[in-house]
Amino acid sequence: MPVTGTRAPAAWVRAAGRSVLDALLPPRCLACGGPVGAPGTLCPACWEGVAFLGPPLCAACGFPFELAPEAGDAGGTLCGACHVDPPPYARARAVMAYDDGSRGLVLGFKHADRTEAAPAFAHWMARAGHELLADADVIAPVPLHRWRLLARRYNQSALLANQLGRVASVPVVPDLLLRRRNTPSQGHLSRAGRGRNVAGAFAVHPGRAGRVRGRSVLLVDDVLTTGATVAACTRVLKRAGARQVDVLTLARVVRPAAPD
Ligand SMILES: O=P(O)(O)OC[C@H]1O[C@H](OP(=O)(O)OP(=O)(O)O)[C@H](O)[C@@H]1O
């Protein structure tokens, strides 16, 4: 029942409050820390440096194409790698290319406690993944092993998933998946090594099977490089009866698949 006398403050009160806050804590660019007009944004120079991804894309992995596909192929064209070896997930999409323009932004969020960027990132992800979100019954982050969680103090993918769920009004189950093994970081491993590193590393939480069976799950991670991590998560979700698994990441490496 609504409580009387708790109406939202008038617009002028909110604006005055914002001005005071801006004077005390001026909004800063999420990437370089320089001054910006509003919180949760990038300055023009950093914005310019980020390669935001958009169509035309591979219908499966989301790899950006330089040229639009032939008329008639629209929406269904696969990149060469997905033609040869289709991923287990249905669609992967990302906000931006993981490169020199975005690395600081992503690593600051993951390793340097720059977690205040999560709401802005979630809005960007909601835009990049709107088709996926329209089909999603539940959002689940790629989990960290508990030792890694203890060391980092937060799971950056869970922060993204929670904010995304709020923005898109889709339920989030932060512990839908568990990381059973404390896998070494994927960094510096080859494509095949990454696959081996995460093989069998994930499981559906025994108490959450009912949130998976027959459902469309949207997996959220910070970065997709080879796709080995999200593929391993997808396999366990499919084995647990997920109807569909899509993947949404903040960034993805954009380079053609190289042989090992
Ligand atoms: O697409 P892939 O080739 O699987 O690589 C992407 C994965 O690698 C990174 O995590 P990592 O396992 O390295 O964990 P860490 O960064 O937390 O050490 C990243 O957060 C992704 O989960």
Side-chain angles (χ1 to χ4, degrees):
M1 200 172 85
V3 180
T4 51
T6 57
R7 275 182 298 167
W12 72 268
V13 176
R14 286 201 304 274
R18 215 166 22 238
S19 304
V20 172
L21 195 65
D22 286 355
L24 292 173
L25 290 169
R28 298 272 167 209
C29 169
L30 293 173
C32 72
V36 285
T41 51
L42 297 172
C43 69
C46 290
W47 187 269
E48 206 42 29
V50 172
F52 288 97
L53 301 174
L57 304 166
C58 167
C61 76
F63 187 88
F65 294 136
E66 276 178 25
L67 295 173
E70 299 282 316
D73 284 352
T77 308
L78 299 183
C79 68
C82 289
H83 250 301
V84 174
D85 187 15
Y89 48 80
R91 299 168 291 184
R93 298 293 180 266
V95 172
M96 60 181 98
Y98 187 65
D99 58 13
D100 292 345
S102 67
R103 192 166 291 109
L105 201 55
V106 174
L107 294 183
F109 177 63
K110 180 171 182 173
H111 294 295
D113 292 339
R114 301 290 310 274
T115 53
E116 76 280 4
F121 290 163
H123 277 98
W124 301 352
M125 290 172 81
R127 213 173 307 144
H130 65 98
E131 290 170 329
L132 285 54
L133 283 159
D135 294 341
D137 297 315
V138 64
I139 296 175
V142 168
L144 292 185
H145 188 270
R146 59 182 186 280
W147 291 122
R148 187 77 53 90
L149 185 60
L150 207 61
R152 192 173 294 160
R153 289 170 289 122
Y154 60 94
N155 175 358
Q156 72 283 350
S157 302
L159 296 185
L160 294 174
N162 285 332
Q163 292 291 335
L164 184 64
R166 206 169 292 171
V167 171
S169 302
V170 175
V172 181
V173 182
D175 60 352
L176 193 74
L177 289 170
L178 303 172
R179 196 181 288 242
R180 300 190 296 190
R181 278 194 288 112
N182 194 9
T183 51
S185 171
Q186 294 282 64
H188 308 300
L189 294 178
S190 66
R191 171 171 286 269
R194 285 170 176 249
R196 281 193 296 272
N197 190 31
V198 291
F202 300 100
V204 170
H205 186 299
R208 305 278 180 269
R211 304 297 297 270
V212 174
R213 208 170 304 116
R215 306 291 169 89
S216 175
V217 181
L218 180 61
L219 258 178
V220 167
D221 204 0
D222 56 346
V223 180
L224 182 149
T225 304
T226 63
T229 301
V230 290
C233 291
T234 300
R235 288 189 193 99
V236 300
L237 288 166
K238 288 284 194 66
R239 237 176 277 139
R243 177 166 48 82
Q244 174 160 317
V245 180
D246 289 314
V247 173
L248 185 56
T249 59
L250 178 61
R252 66 155 289 156
V253 170
V254 176
R255 61 168 177 255
D260 260 307

